[in-house]
Amino acid sequence: MSNPPVETAVTISSPDTIAQLQAGVAPAFAMLAGMQLEVFTQLADRPRSADELADILGVATDRLSRLLYALVAAGLLQIRPDGFVNTPEAAAFLIKGRAGYLGGVHELLSQLWHADLLTAQSIRSGGPAALHDFNAASDADMASMLRGMHAAAVAAGRDLSRRFDFSGCRSIVDIGGGAGGLVAALCDAHPGLLGTLFELPRTARLAASILWETPGGERVSIETGDILVERPRGTHDAAVLRALIQVLAPGDAARAIANAAAAVRPNGTIYILGGGILDDDRLGPRAAVFWNVTFMNLYQSGGSYTVAEHAEWLSAAGCGELERIILPTGGGIIRATKLR
């Protein structure tokens, strides 16, 4: 049987999609620079002129003002007669010290966006061009990474607390939780809850000071171990695996889920969170599709996995009653009940 004829290409007069994609990069980089310089924090109390901000930051006014106008165009600053001021969104999430602060994620964003620039190289070489080799990283680099991820983990914990009822939960283990921001936020929101951070020994050592400075962190104990070879000690009402499954090969992902489930009591709950939860057709959510590319640049194995793949691993671990939530960011939550 002959192949069907190829359809004649439609004549396109302008590269609209290409131009839109190109235009989307610059505002993101302007936001990153604003986070790194803590521009938004310096505007927390009142409007300031470019000269005032430059003096506070110790930089040249002519250079800084270019960024300030770019941040206005990006929708993060506004101009008033008395100077530049944060938009409501920037004031809510980019001022250091406030509860919703996300600006600390700039360290992580710098690494991730650098990795995305190397996608073609990763494909050509057959390996990650921006490999996250945690074993080779210095303590300083690891600590920087933990700080960069911490604000997002705290925000994820607060979001989890709003979405689900933890009133009957007395003990929760955060597996591979970095500096424990998620479990600390849950403990802060629920005074009767005790948390455990289960992490590799070096990560746990570097995480301790960050965790104990976090509201709720005083009720989180640290347990060291490798989820790929052992289960956490004790039995908990719930276990959380955030941004962990996506960095593992399929066999390791199944093993991690099985060991996590072994530490959860019957009728307890497992929560899997991350950007890498794909629809079964692998075309959505958009964020998970693009995260799948980023993971290829960072890890030897791992990636965005489908809901069906998660369901298979959870079922093998004795869990069911699966619920999936797609977050506004494109990230996701899978909630399952320990059945046996």
Side-chain angles (χ1 to χ4, degrees), residues 120-148:
Q121 184 178 331
S122 293
I123 292 172
R124 289 191 180 108
S125 68
L131 175 66
H132 267 196
D133 188 346
F134 299 108
N135 292 325
S138 67
D139 281 1
D141 287 342
M142 278 292 295
S144 175
M145 188 180 305
L146 290 172
R147 287 193 301 272

PDB file of all heavy atoms in Angstrom, residues 120-148:
ATOM      1  N   ALA A 120      20.255  20.961  23.052  1.00  0.00           N
ATOM      2  CA  ALA A 120      20.774  20.348  21.826  1.00  0.00           C
ATOM      3  C   ALA A 120      22.049  19.564  22.111  1.00  0.00           C
ATOM      4  O   ALA A 120      22.267  18.465  21.574  1.00  0.00           O
ATOM      5  CB  ALA A 120      21.029  21.420  20.764  1.00  0.00           C
ATOM      6  N   GLN A 121      22.894  20.108  22.983  1.00  0.00           N
ATOM      7  CA  GLN A 121      24.135  19.417  23.348  1.00  0.00           C
ATOM      8  C   GLN A 121      23.835  18.099  24.061  1.00  0.00           C
ATOM      9  O   GLN A 121      24.498  17.087  23.812  1.00  0.00           O
ATOM     10  CB  GLN A 121      24.984  20.326  24.233  1.00  0.00           C
ATOM     11  CG  GLN A 121      26.352  19.752  24.597  1.00  0.00           C
ATOM     12  CD  GLN A 121      27.173  20.725  25.434  1.00  0.00           C
ATOM     13  OE1 GLN A 121      26.999  21.949  25.311  1.00  0.00           O
ATOM     14  NE2 GLN A 121      28.051  20.209  26.253  1.00  0.00           N
ATOM     15  N   SER A 122      22.836  18.100  24.940  1.00  0.00           N
ATOM     16  CA  SER A 122      22.470  16.867  25.641  1.00  0.00           C
ATOM     17  C   SER A 122      21.989  15.803  24.667  1.00  0.00           C
ATOM     18  O   SER A 122      22.307  14.614  24.804  1.00  0.00           O
ATOM     19  CB  SER A 122      21.375  17.149  26.676  1.00  0.00           C
ATOM     20  OG  SER A 122      21.843  17.952  27.726  1.00  0.00           O
ATOM     21  N   ILE A 123      21.221  16.220  23.672  1.00  0.00           N
ATOM     22  CA  ILE A 123      20.709  15.260  22.697  1.00  0.00           C
ATOM     23  C   ILE A 123      21.841  14.720  21.836  1.00  0.00           C
ATOM     24  O   ILE A 123      21.928  13.517  21.585  1.00  0.00           O
ATOM     25  CB  ILE A 123      19.611  15.925  21.840  1.00  0.00           C
ATOM     26  CG1 ILE A 123      18.381  16.215  22.719  1.00  0.00           C
ATOM     27  CG2 ILE A 123      19.227  15.041  20.664  1.00  0.00           C
ATOM     28  CD1 ILE A 123      17.319  17.026  22.024  1.00  0.00           C
ATOM     29  N   ARG A 124      22.733  15.611  21.407  1.00  0.00           N
ATOM     30  CA  ARG A 124      23.843  15.156  20.557  1.00  0.00           C
ATOM     31  C   ARG A 124      24.778  14.204  21.303  1.00  0.00           C
ATOM     32  O   ARG A 124      25.252  13.219  20.745  1.00  0.00           O
ATOM     33  CB  ARG A 124      24.641  16.361  20.062  1.00  0.00           C
ATOM     34  CG  ARG A 124      23.928  17.216  19.024  1.00  0.00           C
ATOM     35  CD  ARG A 124      24.892  18.214  18.388  1.00  0.00           C
ATOM     36  NE  ARG A 124      24.229  19.045  17.399  1.00  0.00           N
ATOM     37  CZ  ARG A 124      23.930  20.334  17.555  1.00  0.00           C
ATOM     38  NH1 ARG A 124      24.250  20.938  18.694  1.00  0.00           N
ATOM     39  NH2 ARG A 124      23.332  21.012  16.600  1.00  0.00           N
ATOM     40  N   SER A 125      25.045  14.492  22.566  1.00  0.00           N
ATOM     41  CA  SER A 125      26.017  13.706  23.325  1.00  0.00           C
ATOM     42  C   SER A 125      25.419  12.434  23.910  1.00  0.00           C
ATOM     43  O   SER A 125      26.148  11.508  24.271  1.00  0.00           O
ATOM     44  CB  SER A 125      26.603  14.546  24.464  1.00  0.00           C
ATOM     45  OG  SER A 125      25.607  14.824  25.443  1.00  0.00           O
ATOM     46  N   GLY A 126      24.094  12.384  24.038  1.00  0.00           N
ATOM     47  CA  GLY A 126      23.463  11.222  24.646  1.00  0.00           C
ATOM     48  C   GLY A 126      23.514  11.223  26.159  1.00  0.00           C
ATOM     49  O   GLY A 126      23.215  10.205  26.797  1.00  0.00           O
ATOM     50  N   GLY A 127      23.899  12.344  26.757  1.00  0.00           N
ATOM     51  CA  GLY A 127      23.964  12.450  28.214  1.00  0.00           C
ATOM     52  C   GLY A 127      23.657  13.860  28.655  1.00  0.00           C
ATOM     53  O   GLY A 127      23.630  14.789  27.830  1.00  0.00           O
ATOM     54  N   PRO A 128      23.424  14.077  29.946  1.00  0.00           N
ATOM     55  CA  PRO A 128      23.071  15.409  30.442  1.00  0.00           C
ATOM     56  C   PRO A 128      24.239  16.384  30.349  1.00  0.00           C
ATOM     57  O   PRO A 128      25.291  16.160  30.947  1.00  0.00           O
ATOM     58  CB  PRO A 128      22.667  15.149  31.891  1.00  0.00           C
ATOM     59  CG  PRO A 128      23.373  13.888  32.265  1.00  0.00           C
ATOM     60  CD  PRO A 128      23.452  13.064  31.027  1.00  0.00           C
ATOM     61  N   ALA A 129      24.051  17.472  29.617  1.00  0.00           N
ATOM     62  CA  ALA A 129      25.122  18.455  29.435  1.00  0.00           C
ATOM     63  C   ALA A 129      25.303  19.341  30.663  1.00  0.00           C
ATOM     64  O   ALA A 129      26.325  20.011  30.792  1.00  0.00           O
ATOM     65  CB  ALA A 129      24.838  19.312  28.203  1.00  0.00           C
ATOM     66  N   ALA A 130      24.325  19.362  31.547  1.00  0.00           N
ATOM     67  CA  ALA A 130      24.413  20.157  32.782  1.00  0.00           C
ATOM     68  C   ALA A 130      24.155  19.246  33.974  1.00  0.00           C
ATOM     69  O   ALA A 130      23.338  19.547  34.836  1.00  0.00           O
ATOM     70  CB  ALA A 130      23.422  21.306  32.747  1.00  0.00           C
ATOM     71  N   LEU A 131      24.861  18.152  34.008  1.00  0.00           N
ATOM     72  CA  LEU A 131      24.617  17.101  35.000  1.00  0.00           C
ATOM     73  C   LEU A 131      24.629  17.644  36.424  1.00  0.00           C
ATOM     74  O   LEU A 131      25.564  18.323  36.850  1.00  0.00           O
ATOM     75  CB  LEU A 131      25.689  16.012  34.873  1.00  0.00           C
ATOM     76  CG  LEU A 131      25.639  14.889  35.919  1.00  0.00           C
ATOM     77  CD1 LEU A 131      24.374  14.068  35.770  1.00  0.00           C
ATOM     78  CD2 LEU A 131      26.888  14.001  35.791  1.00  0.00           C
ATOM     79  N   HIS A 132      23.573  17.329  37.173  1.00  0.00           N
ATOM     80  CA  HIS A 132      23.537  17.597  38.608  1.00  0.00           C
ATOM     81  C   HIS A 132      24.189  16.417  39.310  1.00  0.00           C
ATOM     82  O   HIS A 132      23.540  15.415  39.603  1.00  0.00           O
ATOM     83  CB  HIS A 132      22.085  17.745  39.083  1.00  0.00           C
ATOM     84  CG  HIS A 132      21.599  19.150  39.083  1.00  0.00           C
ATOM     85  ND1 HIS A 132      20.465  19.551  39.752  1.00  0.00           N
ATOM     86  CD2 HIS A 132      22.097  20.271  38.497  1.00  0.00           C
ATOM     87  CE1 HIS A 132      20.279  20.845  39.575  1.00  0.00           C
ATOM     88  NE2 HIS A 132      21.249  21.299  38.820  1.00  0.00           N
ATOM     89  N   ASP A 133      25.473  16.531  39.546  1.00  0.00           N
ATOM     90  CA  ASP A 133      26.199  15.467  40.238  1.00  0.00           C
ATOM     91  C   ASP A 133      26.311  15.858  41.704  1.00  0.00           C
ATOM     92  O   ASP A 133      27.234  16.554  42.119  1.00  0.00           O
ATOM     93  CB  ASP A 133      27.590  15.284  39.610  1.00  0.00           C
ATOM     94  CG  ASP A 133      28.314  14.070  40.168  1.00  0.00           C
ATOM     95  OD1 ASP A 133      27.876  13.540  41.209  1.00  0.00           O
ATOM     96  OD2 ASP A 133      29.324  13.652  39.565  1.00  0.00           O
ATOM     97  N   PHE A 134      25.344  15.408  42.500  1.00  0.00           N
ATOM     98  CA  PHE A 134      25.299  15.818  43.897  1.00  0.00           C
ATOM     99  C   PHE A 134      26.517  15.344  44.671  1.00  0.00           C
ATOM    100  O   PHE A 134      26.974  15.997  45.598  1.00  0.00           O
ATOM    101  CB  PHE A 134      24.016  15.294  44.553  1.00  0.00           C
ATOM    102  CG  PHE A 134      22.766  15.819  43.908  1.00  0.00           C
ATOM    103  CD1 PHE A 134      21.969  14.995  43.136  1.00  0.00           C
ATOM    104  CD2 PHE A 134      22.392  17.138  44.070  1.00  0.00           C
ATOM    105  CE1 PHE A 134      20.809  15.479  42.542  1.00  0.00           C
ATOM    106  CE2 PHE A 134      21.240  17.636  43.473  1.00  0.00           C
ATOM    107  CZ  PHE A 134      20.447  16.798  42.707  1.00  0.00           C
ATOM    108  N   ASN A 135      27.053  14.199  44.293  1.00  0.00           N
ATOM    109  CA  ASN A 135      28.217  13.667  45.003  1.00  0.00           C
ATOM    110  C   ASN A 135      29.457  14.524  44.763  1.00  0.00           C
ATOM    111  O   ASN A 135      30.308  14.664  45.642  1.00  0.00           O
ATOM    112  CB  ASN A 135      28.488  12.229  44.576  1.00  0.00           C
ATOM    113  CG  ASN A 135      27.407  11.275  45.030  1.00  0.00           C
ATOM    114  OD1 ASN A 135      26.834  11.447  46.102  1.00  0.00           O
ATOM    115  ND2 ASN A 135      27.106  10.270  44.222  1.00  0.00           N
ATOM    116  N   ALA A 136      29.558  15.092  43.571  1.00  0.00           N
ATOM    117  CA  ALA A 136      30.740  15.887  43.232  1.00  0.00           C
ATOM    118  C   ALA A 136      30.611  17.340  43.683  1.00  0.00           C
ATOM    119  O   ALA A 136      31.605  18.057  43.766  1.00  0.00           O
ATOM    120  CB  ALA A 136      30.988  15.842  41.725  1.00  0.00           C
ATOM    121  N   ALA A 137      29.406  17.782  43.984  1.00  0.00           N
ATOM    122  CA  ALA A 137      29.196  19.174  44.371  1.00  0.00           C
ATOM    123  C   ALA A 137      29.834  19.456  45.727  1.00  0.00           C
ATOM    124  O   ALA A 137      29.814  18.615  46.626  1.00  0.00           O
ATOM    125  CB  ALA A 137      27.700  19.487  44.427  1.00  0.00           C
ATOM    126  N   SER A 138      30.387  20.637  45.871  1.00  0.00           N
ATOM    127  CA  SER A 138      30.950  21.049  47.158  1.00  0.00           C
ATOM    128  C   SER A 138      29.827  21.296  48.155  1.00  0.00           C
ATOM    129  O   SER A 138      28.656  21.457  47.779  1.00  0.00           O
ATOM    130  CB  SER A 138      31.769  22.322  46.999  1.00  0.00           C
ATOM    131  OG  SER A 138      30.920  23.415  46.667  1.00  0.00           O
ATOM    132  N   ASP A 139      30.183  21.354  49.433  1.00  0.00           N
ATOM    133  CA  ASP A 139      29.183  21.673  50.444  1.00  0.00           C
ATOM    134  C   ASP A 139      28.563  23.047  50.184  1.00  0.00           C
ATOM    135  O   ASP A 139      27.359  23.244  50.381  1.00  0.00           O
ATOM    136  CB  ASP A 139      29.812  21.654  51.839  1.00  0.00           C
ATOM    137  CG  ASP A 139      29.984  20.248  52.385  1.00  0.00           C
ATOM    138  OD1 ASP A 139      29.631  19.279  51.668  1.00  0.00           O
ATOM    139  OD2 ASP A 139      30.468  20.105  53.528  1.00  0.00           O
ATOM    140  N   ALA A 140      29.379  23.985  49.726  1.00  0.00           N
ATOM    141  CA  ALA A 140      28.867  25.331  49.452  1.00  0.00           C
ATOM    142  C   ALA A 140      27.844  25.308  48.323  1.00  0.00           C
ATOM    143  O   ALA A 140      26.797  25.963  48.397  1.00  0.00           O
ATOM    144  CB  ALA A 140      30.012  26.273  49.102  1.00  0.00           C
ATOM    145  N   ASP A 141      28.137  24.550  47.267  1.00  0.00           N
ATOM    146  CA  ASP A 141      27.199  24.452  46.148  1.00  0.00           C
ATOM    147  C   ASP A 141      25.918  23.740  46.567  1.00  0.00           C
ATOM    148  O   ASP A 141      24.812  24.123  46.168  1.00  0.00           O
ATOM    149  CB  ASP A 141      27.848  23.716  44.974  1.00  0.00           C
ATOM    150  CG  ASP A 141      28.890  24.556  44.260  1.00  0.00           C
ATOM    151  OD1 ASP A 141      28.872  25.796  44.433  1.00  0.00           O
ATOM    152  OD2 ASP A 141      29.725  23.982  43.544  1.00  0.00           O
ATOM    153  N   MET A 142      26.055  22.692  47.362  1.00  0.00           N
ATOM    154  CA  MET A 142      24.874  21.970  47.833  1.00  0.00           C
ATOM    155  C   MET A 142      24.018  22.857  48.719  1.00  0.00           C
ATOM    156  O   MET A 142      22.788  22.873  48.606  1.00  0.00           O
ATOM    157  CB  MET A 142      25.300  20.718  48.596  1.00  0.00           C
ATOM    158  CG  MET A 142      25.644  19.533  47.717  1.00  0.00           C
ATOM    159  SD  MET A 142      24.195  18.854  46.862  1.00  0.00           S
ATOM    160  CE  MET A 142      23.236  18.246  48.259  1.00  0.00           C
ATOM    161  N   ALA A 143      24.657  23.605  49.607  1.00  0.00           N
ATOM    162  CA  ALA A 143      23.907  24.505  50.485  1.00  0.00           C
ATOM    163  C   ALA A 143      23.180  25.573  49.670  1.00  0.00           C
ATOM    164  O   ALA A 143      22.032  25.929  49.973  1.00  0.00           O
ATOM    165  CB  ALA A 143      24.842  25.150  51.501  1.00  0.00           C
ATOM    166  N   SER A 144      23.842  26.084  48.621  1.00  0.00           N
ATOM    167  CA  SER A 144      23.219  27.070  47.750  1.00  0.00           C
ATOM    168  C   SER A 144      21.998  26.480  47.068  1.00  0.00           C
ATOM    169  O   SER A 144      20.947  27.137  46.944  1.00  0.00           O
ATOM    170  CB  SER A 144      24.231  27.558  46.710  1.00  0.00           C
ATOM    171  OG  SER A 144      23.622  28.425  45.779  1.00  0.00           O
ATOM    172  N   MET A 145      22.108  25.242  46.614  1.00  0.00           N
ATOM    173  CA  MET A 145      20.991  24.578  45.967  1.00  0.00           C
ATOM    174  C   MET A 145      19.830  24.390  46.934  1.00  0.00           C
ATOM    175  O   MET A 145      18.659  24.610  46.596  1.00  0.00           O
ATOM    176  CB  MET A 145      21.444  23.227  45.405  1.00  0.00           C
ATOM    177  CG  MET A 145      20.410  22.531  44.541  1.00  0.00           C
ATOM    178  SD  MET A 145      21.011  20.939  43.920  1.00  0.00           S
ATOM    179  CE  MET A 145      22.533  21.454  43.121  1.00  0.00           C
ATOM    180  N   LEU A 146      20.143  23.996  48.158  1.00  0.00           N
ATOM    181  CA  LEU A 146      19.097  23.803  49.160  1.00  0.00           C
ATOM    182  C   LEU A 146      18.379  25.120  49.463  1.00  0.00           C
ATOM    183  O   LEU A 146      17.157  25.156  49.598  1.00  0.00           O
ATOM    184  CB  LEU A 146      19.694  23.221  50.441  1.00  0.00           C
ATOM    185  CG  LEU A 146      20.172  21.767  50.363  1.00  0.00           C
ATOM    186  CD1 LEU A 146      20.923  21.385  51.638  1.00  0.00           C
ATOM    187  CD2 LEU A 146      19.004  20.815  50.142  1.00  0.00           C
ATOM    188  N   ARG A 147      19.157  26.197  49.572  1.00  0.00           N
ATOM    189  CA  ARG A 147      18.539  27.507  49.815  1.00  0.00           C
ATOM    190  C   ARG A 147      17.650  27.903  48.647  1.00  0.00           C
ATOM    191  O   ARG A 147      16.557  28.444  48.835  1.00  0.00           O
ATOM    192  CB  ARG A 147      19.614  28.568  50.040  1.00  0.00           C
ATOM    193  CG  ARG A 147      20.331  28.481  51.388  1.00  0.00           C
ATOM    194  CD  ARG A 147      21.140  29.745  51.636  1.00  0.00           C
ATOM    195  NE  ARG A 147      22.134  29.979  50.597  1.00  0.00           N
ATOM    196  CZ  ARG A 147      23.366  29.497  50.615  1.00  0.00           C
ATOM    197  NH1 ARG A 147      23.766  28.756  51.637  1.00  0.00           N
ATOM    198  NH2 ARG A 147      24.208  29.749  49.637  1.00  0.00           N
ATOM    199  N   GLY A 148      18.127  27.623  47.438  1.00  0.00           N
ATOM    200  CA  GLY A 148      17.363  27.983  46.248  1.00  0.00           C
ATOM    201  C   GLY A 148      16.041  27.260  46.149  1.00  0.00           C
ATOM    202  O   GLY A 148      15.056  27.805  45.644  1.00  0.00           O
TER     203      GLY A 148
END
